[in-house]
């Protein structure tokens, strides 16, 4: 179960950086990804399941993927107490959808992104690992705040299991000098 929690943390990372959409909306998607690129930090909590109540913090940096396609490349980590889990992901446009992986994908210790859509200031991604299916929703509250929820499918219901509140690391924003 611990590896599933780590895999879900990877999902948080990606969602937090804002991902995926259909090809016909690629210019708007690309704009969304550019708006959420940069460094984000913040707390999260597992809200359901065996590890309910576990609190963690994430520090994530998102950038454009290679090839100029809409999507995102992510690096960073999430920390639970003294333990830190590296986070990485690559999500890019594939036809009229998005494909990608968190960590090393579902065949390893991560998750696969199997679908996604951007709608205004919100992104919804379909995620999969073996028999685990779910969704990540990331909502850009303003230019410096994002809320992320990861839910898993149990029967016919989507059950929220992880929530994260991320803030842009404004100390990392480079500005020009004043003369």
């Amino acid at each position: 179960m611990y590896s599933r929690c780590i895999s879900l943390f990877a999902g948080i990372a990606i969602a937090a950086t804002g991902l995926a959409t259909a090809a016909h909306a690629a210019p708007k998607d690309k704009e969304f990804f550019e708006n959420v690129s940069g460094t984000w930090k913040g707390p999260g909590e597992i809200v359901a399941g065996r590890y309910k109540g576990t609190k963690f913090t994430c520090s994530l940096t998102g950038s454009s993927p290679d090839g100029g396609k809409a999507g995102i490349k992510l690096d960073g980590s999430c920390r639970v107490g003294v333990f830190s889990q590296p986070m990485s992901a690559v999500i890019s446009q594939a036809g009229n959808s998005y494909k990608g992986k968190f960590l090393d994908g579902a065949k390893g210790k991560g998750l696969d992104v199997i679908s996604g859509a951007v709608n205004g200031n919100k992104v919804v991604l379909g995620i999969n690992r073996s028999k685990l299916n779910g969704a990540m929703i990331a909502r850009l509250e303003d230019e410096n705040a994002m809320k992320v929820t990861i839910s898993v499918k149990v029967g016919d219901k989507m059950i929220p299991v992880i929530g994260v509140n991320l803030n842009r690391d404004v100390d990392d924003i480079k500005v020009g000098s004043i003369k």
Side-chain angles (χ1 to χ4, degrees):
M1 180 64 186
Y2 181 73
S3 65
R4 281 194 175 167
C5 286
I6 295 301
S7 295
L8 290 175
F9 288 155
I12 292 168
I14 293 300
T17 344
L19 308 172
T21 188
H24 66 278
K28 288 184 180 183
D29 292 355
K30 203 165 188 176
E31 181 181 337
F32 178 83
F33 299 139
E34 288 170 1
N35 287 338
V36 297
S37 289
T39 304
W40 296 82
K41 294 181 179 181
E45 182 176 355
I46 299 175
V47 296
R50 182 176 178 185
Y51 296 99
K52 181 178 180 176
T54 301
K55 296 180 187 304
F56 56 90
T57 59
C58 294
S59 179
L60 310 163
T61 301
S63 60
S64 297
D66 299 332
K69 292 183 177 181
I72 199 149
K73 192 162 129 179
L74 175 81
D75 286 300
S77 64
C78 289
R79 177 176 295 280
V80 177
V82 297
F83 301 100
S84 182
Q85 171 68 39
M87 295 295 151
S88 64
V90 177
I91 309 295
S92 60
Q93 185 178 5
N96 60 353
S97 189
Y98 279 77
K99 300 291 180 202
K101 62 183 178 178
F102 309 127
L103 299 175
D104 55 355
K107 290 183 181 177
K109 294 182 179 183
L111 297 165
D112 288 336
V113 172
I114 57 173
S115 63
V118 173
N119 186 5
N121 65 340
K122 178 175 75 171
V123 63
V124 178
L125 296 174
I127 55 174
N128 175 266
R129 176 180 173 84
S130 187
K131 295 180 181 179
L132 175 72
N133 289 301
M136 268 181 273
I137 300 171
R139 180 182 305 276
L140 195 57
E141 300 290 312
D142 62 41
E143 65 184 27
N144 294 316
M146 188 175 334
K147 290 188 179 196
V148 179
T149 302
I150 297 178
S151 301
V152 295
K153 190 169 186 178
V154 178
D156 292 337
K157 295 183 179 185
M158 293 295 281
I159 307 295
V161 293
I162 296 176
V164 185
N165 293 311
L166 294 166
N167 292 298
R168 192 176 299 277
D169 186 3
V170 294
D171 292 337
D172 192 48
I173 297 174
K174 294 174 179 48
V175 295
S177 64
I178 300 174
K179 293 184 181 184

